[in-house]
Amino acid sequence: MFRRLLPAIALVTLITPSMAAAQTLVFTAIPDEDETRLQQRFQAVADYLAETLEVEVRFIPVTSYAASVTAFRNNQVQLAWFGGFTGVQARQLVPGSRAIAQGVEDPEYKSYVIANQSTGLSPDDGDTAPEGLRDLTFSFGSQSSTSGRLMPEYFLREHLGASPDELFTRVGFSGNHSRTISVVQSGAYQAGVVSYKAWENELEAGNIDLDRVQVIWETPPYPDYQWTERGDIDERFGDGFTERLRQALLDMDDPDLLASFPRSGFIPAENEDYREILEVAQSLGLLD
């Protein structure tokens, strides 16, 4: 798997000023699901943006959430599909960068806490995290994931009054939502937390055995994914490019393209929409 991705990742380091002069818009996306799907998910998006904006557009996959932020900070990409937390990280590191669009679903995003059926836990529709999670083994997703770590950890601390290390007998970080579902379904971890969109996507794909794993709790809503661009993008591509790019995203209505995210459409976004994420990350000591 990694050998297949390495050539694409290496291209990130080869972006030069001469390529910028040729107006190549390079973007990336957090690897929130299985990495092998990324190129397929976003190549069609690159083609759509290239046709709409009349510039060359290239998608570069990365292997971790942290790598997407690093590529953005180093100006190796000018645009990224970030989660709430990675977007906050990137904008903190690159002054002037802006959130420009988000999915229709993203202002009211949520996470699912899932459990292996062997735990005997039943679905809980309460407003607070279920007490039955105590003393289980538990897997988050990526350490930088909004829906797979940041906000669920915040709710667990607020509702159950303890840190994950105090609540659970063993805590792991799977790396992405698909792997979290896999390790809980297999019993390697008794419980975990995933993006509700990733759960629905994997369920539709037939990758979830409901006789082995189930959703037991749904978190309160919070803002999540968004498109973020570097603040110098108009200087690179010409006056008004930001608005053209934003409009191209808002006009994306092809069901197959939208299924890549998956979202029902895009709406405008701005940095202030993610203040809650910024404040939670600061309260958990996750921002320098």
Side-chain angles (χ1 to χ4, degrees), residues 9-160:
I9 294 167
L11 286 173
V12 173
T13 64
L14 296 177
I15 298 169
T16 66
S18 63
M19 292 173 68
Q23 294 188 331
T24 301
L25 176 65
V26 186
F27 78 96
T28 193
I30 57 170
D32 53 358
E33 298 184 60
D34 193 310
E35 295 97 330
T36 59
R37 300 178 188 171
L38 287 178
Q39 192 70 47
Q40 180 179 1
R41 282 174 61 186
F42 289 105
Q43 184 55 50
V45 176
D47 294 341
Y48 163 78
L49 290 175
E51 180 178 356
T52 304
L53 299 171
E54 298 181 336
V55 298
E56 181 181 351
V57 179
R58 181 179 301 138
F59 168 69
I60 299 296
V62 291
T63 57
S64 72
Y65 284 51
S68 69
V69 174
T70 298
F72 189 85
R73 180 192 64 195
N74 291 344
N75 199 18
Q76 295 165 322
V77 300
Q78 297 80 50
L79 176 71
W81 175 242
F82 283 131
F85 180 41
T86 45
V88 165
Q89 287 179 304
R91 293 190 294 273
Q92 290 283 103
L93 291 168
V94 185
S97 55
R98 299 177 292 260
I100 60 171
Q102 60 186 325
V104 170
E105 296 82 358
D106 287 303
E108 297 285 318
Y109 212 76
K110 57 193 175 185
S111 300
Y112 285 161
V113 173
I114 60 175
N116 189 279
Q117 294 283 15
S118 66
T119 64
L121 292 174
S122 299
D124 187 326
D125 60 2
D127 294 332
T128 60
E131 289 286 338
L133 290 170
R134 292 182 187 272
D135 299 323
L136 299 181
T137 58
F138 193 91
S139 178
F140 293 102
S142 166
Q143 294 184 1
S144 301
S145 173
T146 308
S147 55
R149 189 271 176 95
L150 179 77
M151 294 308 295
E153 178 175 337
Y154 170 75
F155 293 129
L156 288 169
R157 287 175 180 265
E158 289 290 301
H159 297 171
L160 300 180

Side-chain angles (χ1 to χ4, degrees), residues 199-212:
W199 173 270
E200 292 174 354
N201 202 33
E202 295 289 340
L203 190 62
E204 183 177 352
N207 297 328
I208 295 176
D209 182 350
L210 294 176
D211 289 331
R212 299 169 65 191

